[in-house]
Amino acid sequence: IDAGSSDNCSEVSFELSDTNLNCEDLGENMHEVKLWDENGNYDSTSVMITVLDTIAPTFIMCPESFTTMNCVEVTYDLPQAADNCGIEGITQTQGPASGSTFPQGTTQVSYEAMDVSGNTTTCSFEITLHNTLEVTQSVSDYSCDPENPYTATLTAGGGTEGYTYVWSTGTTTAQTILTAPSPWSWTVTDALGCEQTGEVDLPIPDTMSITLQATAATNMESNGAIEVTVTGGTGSYGYIWYDGDGNLLATTEDLTNIPPGNYCLEVTDENECIAQGCIEVENITSTIDRTLEQKITLSPNPTSSEVTISFDIPQQRATLILMDISGQEIRRMHKQKAADEVTMEMRDYAEGVYLMKIVVGDQLVVKKVMVTKQ
């Protein structure tokens, strides 16, 4: 305050007109200063006084750190602060707001209080989200039933009881049937919104099926045959053949050198799934040369539109029977004596293997026709 006041005879004393300064006087203020010497002489002047606030705010309530198991909404009391000159505001500087969803683990939350002079102070605390929900999964052995190949079960514990279950299959119970395609995912949620997720990934083999193709016997001799095609299933196959009376006949894949009659096959894969089928080996009384099969050709084969059956057997009628792979008749046509070829339309049939049965007199020839889609 004394900016060089002086007196010729003694020391100078001085006083301010107002020494009771407070927050209302923040900033620059003009004040009167009185000066006097030992002889009672006095003078006065005005000076500029700047009042500063350097005292930081104080948090009168800063939450304690705590642990929760609520995974949906975590709430806490908001911090409160006070200051000698007044609070400008309290701002959150770190962490989710009260009422938000918190991540699992420990999260630091911080708030900053600022007074009207820009002084600041910080309140920090930690919130730990502890998800104690535990889920175990179990899956049954593979079943040969294509509608129920596996059954999976979830067992929940810990957390807060009141569990809900959601499977990617659409099931909302702890147990579900797993059908193709895999994998299958699941989510378990407890009453406070804590979750555990998982996945089941197991192979589902294609359903096993068998196709039987018979070659007719001639003149009641044991010269017939059955060719087997197996698809789907798992691993290697086991074969059991039975004759028409149910007697065990063979354990080979195909049958050769067999007489006319009915035959049934049971195929088992490594999962002990079973496929069955039966077929008849016909008898043909033949007086025509066995080279007949070589005198009949099909082209184009494979085909996407039509197939032409050409005959090198002039002046003979023939019956043509188109069958599916199971032997079910689809279409029948006839070749007249004078014709040496017959064309059959195929474009309306699904892609796959078909059988063409050709009967010439008392002899039978069976050929495969492959239909493709371009």
Side-chain angles (χ1 to χ4, degrees), residues 40-290:
N41 300 308
Y42 68 91
D43 194 8
S44 66
T45 187
S46 294
V47 296
M48 180 69 71
I49 296 177
T50 301
V51 179
L52 302 176
D53 173 23
T54 59
I55 301 173
T58 301
F59 275 99
I60 58 176
M61 199 289 288
C62 183
E64 296 287 338
S65 297
F66 65 92
T67 298
T68 181
M69 292 191 299
N70 192 325
C71 297
V72 174
E73 182 181 68
V74 177
T75 59
Y76 52 85
D77 293 332
L78 297 179
Q80 300 176 24
D83 185 75
N84 59 318
C85 289
I87 294 294
E88 180 70 21
I90 300 176
T91 304
Q92 185 170 7
T93 58
Q94 186 178 9
S98 177
S100 301
T101 299
F102 274 60
Q104 187 169 339
T106 299
T107 301
Q108 180 165 300
V109 179
S110 297
Y111 283 81
E112 181 182 80
M114 178 183 292
D115 66 13
V116 294
S117 297
N119 300 306
T120 61
T121 190
T122 300
C123 158
S124 294
F125 54 97
E126 292 182 343
I127 297 177
T128 301
L129 176 60
H130 189 30
N131 184 357
T132 60
L133 176 63
E134 296 181 352
V135 180
T136 57
Q137 65 181 33
S138 59
V139 183
S140 66
D141 292 336
Y142 176 74
S143 165
C144 299
D145 181 359
E147 301 298 323
N148 184 14
Y150 295 105
T151 299
T153 304
L154 301 176
T155 303
T160 304
E161 290 188 2
Y163 311 116
T164 59
Y165 305 85
V166 176
W167 288 88
S168 58
T169 60
T171 303
T172 55
T173 58
Q175 189 175 86
T176 188
I177 294 173
L178 304 178
T179 57
S182 64
W184 308 270
S185 60
W186 53 261
T187 300
V188 179
T189 307
D190 72 2
L192 292 180
C194 293
E195 293 183 349
Q196 293 291 354
T197 60
E199 183 179 88
V200 180
D201 190 3
L202 293 170
I204 295 185
D206 293 335
T207 301
M208 186 168 56
S209 64
I210 59 176
T211 301
L212 304 177
Q213 182 176 348
T215 300
T218 58
N219 301 320
M220 298 303 294
E221 296 180 7
S222 295
N223 55 5
I226 302 175
E227 181 181 346
V228 179
T229 302
V230 182
T231 59
T234 302
S236 59
Y237 307 115
Y239 303 87
I240 301 178
W241 284 98
Y242 299 92
D243 62 18
D245 296 324
N247 299 312
L248 179 63
L249 186 63
T251 57
T252 58
E253 179 177 353
D254 300 325
L255 291 182
T256 58
N257 300 320
I258 54 176
N262 293 314
Y263 297 86
C264 291
L265 172 64
E266 181 177 280
V267 180
T268 305
D269 70 0
E270 290 184 357
N271 285 327
E272 297 185 355
C273 298
I274 297 174
Q276 297 174 320
C278 296
I279 195 170
E280 179 184 2
V281 175
E282 297 179 346
N283 176 66
I284 296 177
T285 302
S286 176
T287 58
I288 301 178
D289 194 288
R290 294 280 293 180

